Amino acid sequence: MQTLYRRLLSILPRIGVKVVDLGPGTALVFRRGERTVAPVGRGADLVARGKARYTVTDAGTDTWVVARAAAGRSVTSVPLGPTGARLLLDGAVPADGEREFQLAASHYLCAQHVAALLELNGVNCVFDVGANTGQYGKGLRRFGYTGRIVSFEPVSDTFAKLRRSAENDPDWHVYNFALGREEAVQSIHVDWKSMNSLLPPSEYGKERYRRFAKGRTEEIEVRRLDDVMQKALEGIEDPRPYLKMDTQGFDMEVFAGAGERISEFVGLQSEVAALRLYEGSPAMGEAVAAYEAAGFGVTGMYPVTRDPATGRVVEFDCVMVRAPEPGGPAAT
């Protein structure tokens, strides 16, 4: 026998009121348009305007992601260990996009790791050497770093973009020169996008990147890090600097230019090469050994690029902090 409730629902459409039955004792009534119902979890429904189809993906306890479904599209929810966090993957990404995804994830994890280290070690000035257009500085701000940033970018066109990135940030200082082992005027290879370098490409580099076959050179000023530190740290009562280097094969030259003042840095980050893209750049083992000899210990290694043919890592972001003295207290 039909209940009064059910009979009422059957009558409503006759007087121009539309009905969507949502289950025992629950219904949606409306006058105009169409509605789509998508089940969400147990005993819950999503009601949306129109006739579009939606996908619902479990994203943890009592949490779902609802997306308008495109043809063949699906979303996969992957738990990240016991952290409670989940990664949502668009199922439409082709299998050959896995490597690109891995590198993007590595970049994110590296930035998050660095932000945590800066806070843990009380860093109040980051030397951003090889700043390009300011991507690194912007990333620091997104992850909550509020201290001083001092960026160095020698290429004139790129520096103009860096200056615009920093113009509304009063504690982000920018300089239009390179850092190296000694003061000089040198030629830098430009028009290689973010890979401009003071070094020529290696044979492997020429095979890996077509851009190295083109480009031009530009005369730039090179200065020593220990000569610019006093001005860069001016006004900071108790400086605790961190050195980030991304100079396309020139990081060891920047490091050498710090001289004895490298002991003032509480940590560093360097792009080290497992496969050398630039002629004359140090091998990864050589670079890491030099940093360790200066008192730094590795806290993370994050792939930056991979060889598409072999899957081998070309470069890593190597993150380090000053190691404690033997028998001394742990680094903070």
Side-chain angles (χ1 to χ4, degrees), residues 25-219:
T26 307
L28 174 72
V29 296
F30 55 98
R31 285 191 176 276
R32 297 181 180 85
E34 297 292 337
R35 299 294 186 273
T36 297
V37 179
V40 179
R42 181 179 299 175
D45 297 298
L46 166 76
V47 180
R49 290 182 182 274
K51 294 182 177 181
R53 197 164 59 86
Y54 291 85
T55 61
V56 178
T57 304
D58 181 8
T61 306
D62 295 328
T63 306
W64 296 269
V65 174
V66 180
R68 189 184 293 269
R73 181 184 179 186
S74 62
V75 177
T76 303
S77 175
V78 180
L80 295 179
T83 63
R86 283 181 173 256
L87 186 66
L88 300 178
L89 298 175
D90 190 336
V93 175
D96 59 6
E98 179 186 2
R99 186 172 299 159
E100 183 179 350
F101 163 74
Q102 288 178 353
L103 293 177
S106 175
H107 176 79
Y108 173 82
L109 293 172
C110 180
Q112 190 177 56
H113 173 58
V114 168
L117 280 182
L118 298 185
E119 182 177 2
L120 177 66
N121 290 277
V123 170
N124 49 24
C125 185
V126 173
F127 284 76
D128 172 23
V129 187
N132 200 253
T133 61
Q135 304 95 311
Y136 188 83
K138 290 178 181 178
L140 289 177
R141 294 302 192 220
R142 281 196 303 272
F143 277 88
Y145 173 71
T146 58
R148 181 173 298 176
I149 303 171
V150 184
S151 294
F152 302 87
E153 173 51 51
V155 178
S156 55
D157 290 347
T158 311
F159 177 77
K161 296 175 183 177
L162 170 64
R163 184 165 51 191
R164 287 196 292 272
S165 295
E167 61 186 357
N168 295 320
D169 189 331
D171 214 12
W172 186 353
H173 305 172
V174 296
Y175 294 97
N176 187 202
F177 52 81
L179 296 179
R181 186 181 297 268
E182 57 188 22
E183 291 192 5
V185 174
Q186 291 185 237
S187 294
I188 189 170
H189 298 273
V190 299
D191 296 340
W192 287 352
K193 298 182 180 179
S194 62
M195 300 179 71
N196 299 331
S197 179
L198 283 154
L199 301 175
S202 66
E203 289 303 314
Y204 171 73
K206 293 174 185 176
E207 294 175 5
R208 177 74 173 82
Y209 292 104
R210 292 180 181 177
R211 70 189 72 170
F212 287 158
K214 302 177 182 179
R216 57 186 175 84
T217 59
E218 179 179 313
E219 296 292 295

Side-chain angles (χ1 to χ4, degrees), residues 283-306:
M284 180 173 68
E286 178 186 350
V288 172
Y291 300 146
E292 289 180 332
F296 297 93
V298 175
T299 64
M301 297 283 281
Y302 298 90
V304 177
T305 51
R306 290 182 185 272

